[in-house]
Amino acid sequence: MTINHGSLSYLDPVRAEPWASFVEQIDRVAPHLGDLARWVETLKHPKRILVVDVPIIRDDGTIAHYEGYRVQHNLSRGPGKGGVRFHPAVSLNEVMALAGWMTIKNAALGLPFGGAKGGVRIDPRTFSPAELERITRRYTSEIGIVIGPDKDIPAPDVGTSEQTMAWMMDTYSMNVGHTASGVVTGKPIALGGSLGRQEGTGRGVCIAAREAGIRMGVPISGARIVVQGFGNVGGVAARIFRENGARVIALQDAEATLANPAGIDIPAALAHVAAHGSLVGFTGATSVSDDDFWQLECEYFVPAALEGQVTLERARRMRARIIVEGANGPTTPAADDILHERGILVIPDVLANAGGVTVSYFEWVQDFSSFFWSEEEINDRLESIMVKAFDAIWLTAKERKVSIRTAAFIIACQRVLAAREQRGLYP
Ligand code: GLU
């Protein structure tokens, strides 16, 4: 089988995912773009890729080297925007796809950003806080030539946090000689962070689910919900779902898979994770197999972990009415087709998890104006941007008779490629 990577020679020809998934999604939208389709190839070519060496002295005195990346996939509509991931599976292929999804997400929501992403291939759990600080600062310094408040603005992603952003902001600021709060978002409030940012992604997932439920006749109140991933996205979403009367019947994190048909006490599960680092040992639910987890009957299934989780084989067995993608790229294109055939609605990542970057946009605007909004103001604005995007994407899906994902890609690609065309090619 040949893998469609586009025509990029620097990618491993054997490893397909997830850039190949992104390319496939772009190929699927191309026939819907009319005259703009002549520009579509641009989305299969990341604008700029930086691979950096991140050397540090470890606590035991040895010297270690790690590989870091920053990919700016497209800058036609504004500065790059997207998170930084610390995870042992980070690769150039993955960061390219994640950057591509940021281009689509930002355009689909109408945010004035291009798409970017970064990462360092490490398992952050195996480092001391002092080592993590050194890795973060050296990585920031290395990518300092391409980031900046009006160039490319990183944010947290899997394995990074407010603390990571504080170190990144400080390192960049020290290098440029003045405090530049707008260089990253997802910072602590004391450093120019925004109220509501930490919850933004999970809150947005719940808004997307609610909007889908209204149109499908599947109310959140009383719904059975399964959540894969119990971090900043899955944990917050599970809590808000429960506050809105849903029953979270199963949870999975990297170490445990648990179910309780009566509904899991989410605040208790969150407290357990805060104390012990994972769901292992949580007594408010019983352990189930991974196979059983994916086959649970539910109204909403929320993959909120890593990409490529909803595989063809799992898609054949899932018994959810609606999948709401909290993670980036959790569903493979082949699985998408099966879910479509089986009548399972998928609310795609580029819409469902856009609450995080939307509040990042608010943070960036607040930093520029040095004027800060109330949490209520943030949540109201998030709500209105998400609902407006949902409406437009839903309508396009109905009019064009395509999936919600393709509809989101149509709207986003039209915006990105119209900007590309109007700017013209230089020289
Ligand atoms: N990492 C988040 C995402 O994948 C947020 C990115 C941001 O706020 O820039 O959407």
Side-chain angles (χ1 to χ4, degrees):
M1 194 186 84
T2 47
I3 292 159
N4 181 10
H5 279 141
S7 54
L8 306 177
S9 61
Y10 46 78
L11 283 183
D12 179 347
V14 180
R15 199 166 169 262
E17 302 293 344
W19 174 252
S21 289
F22 177 74
V23 168
E24 167 100 40
Q25 290 167 351
I26 295 296
D27 284 340
R28 287 175 178 207
V29 75
H32 300 279
L33 296 176
D35 290 348
L36 286 173
R38 91 181 249 260
W39 293 96
V40 82
E41 189 68 17
T42 198
L43 297 169
K44 298 192 209 170
H45 297 261
K47 177 181 174 60
R48 191 175 282 144
I49 291 174
L50 183 59
V51 182
V52 295
D53 175 35
V54 183
I56 64 155
I57 298 183
R58 295 212 61 174
D59 290 346
D60 65 5
T62 56
I63 296 166
H65 291 257
Y66 305 100
E67 196 163 299
Y69 312 91
R70 185 73 187 172
V71 174
Q72 294 171 345
H73 173 262
N74 188 284
L75 304 180
S76 293
R77 300 180 59 261
K81 185 87 194 81
V84 171
R85 179 172 293 197
F86 287 178
H87 191 274
V90 163
S91 65
L92 176 58
N93 183 312
E94 180 188 54
V95 178
M96 282 166 58
L98 291 166
W101 285 317
M102 288 310 302
T103 299
I104 302 298
K105 192 188 303 187
N106 292 330
L109 272 284
L111 308 177
F113 294 127
K117 201 85 176 195
V120 182
R121 185 161 56 249
I122 54 163
D123 182 349
R125 294 170 306 181
T126 62
F127 295 92
S128 71
E131 288 174 329
L132 279 177
E133 178 170 354
R134 291 199 285 279
I135 290 170
T136 303
R137 287 187 182 279
R138 182 60 189 249
Y139 168 70
T140 307
S141 212
E142 292 297 337
I143 65 164
I145 50 176
V146 296
I147 63 170
D150 54 3
K151 288 162 79 177
D152 180 1
I153 306 110
D157 195 77
V158 176
T160 54
S161 64
E162 275 195 353
Q163 178 61 75
T164 323
M165 294 307 115
W167 290 328
M168 289 189 76
M169 183 277 232
D170 183 69
T171 305
Y172 180 85
S173 297
M174 298 309 281
N175 285 344
V176 296
H178 59 91
T179 294
S181 348
V183 67
V184 291
T185 58
K187 297 178 294 293
I189 303 291
L191 304 181
S194 177
L195 295 167
R197 172 60 187 88
Q198 212 173 346
E199 289 202 344
T201 315
R203 188 171 289 280
V205 165
C206 295
I207 294 172
R210 182 197 69 207
E211 291 301 305
I214 291 170
R215 289 161 180 81
M216 299 290 289
V218 186
I220 298 294
S221 179
R224 291 164 299 176
I225 308 215
V226 175
V227 182
Q228 187 206 25
F230 200 56
N232 188 46
V233 182
V236 172
R239 179 174 61 69
I240 299 175
F241 276 129
R242 186 173 182 270
E243 285 165 6
N244 286 292
R247 217 167 3 124
V248 179
I249 59 164
L251 289 175
Q252 183 179 59
D253 70 7
E255 272 115 53
T257 307
L258 305 172
N260 179 350
I264 297 170
D265 179 346
I266 300 299
L270 289 168
H272 181 92
V273 171
H276 301 99
S278 85
L279 285 166
V280 174
F282 177 63
T283 52
T286 44
S287 191
V288 293
S289 73
D290 188 60
D291 267 358
D292 288 347
F293 176 80
W294 285 95
Q295 292 184 84
L296 284 170
E297 197 181 330
C298 59
E299 277 68 46
Y300 293 88
F301 192 108
V302 182
L306 296 172
E307 55 275 4
Q309 294 296 299
V310 182
T311 56
L312 180 63
E313 189 266 335
R314 285 174 175 162
R316 290 200 175 106
R317 294 184 291 123
M318 288 176 80
R319 291 191 294 158
R321 297 269 318 266
I322 302 174
I323 295 176
V324 186
E325 296 184 339
N328 290 311
T331 308
T332 66
D336 244 347
D337 290 342
I338 296 292
L339 294 168
H340 189 71
E341 265 170 38
R342 296 189 54 217
I344 298 176
L345 179 72
V346 179
I347 305 300
D349 47 6
V350 293
L351 172 60
N353 73 30
V357 72
T358 301
V359 183
S360 276
Y361 167 51
F362 301 155
E363 180 172 332
W364 181 72
V365 168
Q366 293 171 90
D367 288 338
F368 265 119
S369 55
S370 298
F371 179 78
F372 290 86
W373 311 344
S374 70
E375 188 158 2
E376 198 188 1
E377 221 168 331
I378 302 279
N379 289 341
D380 286 353
R381 287 178 192 265
L382 171 63
E383 168 85 26
S384 85
I385 290 187
M386 290 280 305
V387 170
K388 191 168 152 225
F390 196 106
D391 275 340
I393 291 168
W394 189 271
L395 193 70
T396 299
K398 295 295 143 204
E399 279 172 6
R400 307 267 193 131
K401 299 190 172 40
V402 294
S403 69
I404 309 294
R405 188 183 319 277
T406 299
F409 270 66
I410 290 174
I411 290 178
C413 291
Q414 279 171 342
R415 289 179 179 155
V416 176
L417 300 180
R420 169 84 281 181
E421 182 172 67
Q422 283 157 17
R423 287 177 65 157
L425 282 185
Y426 174 84

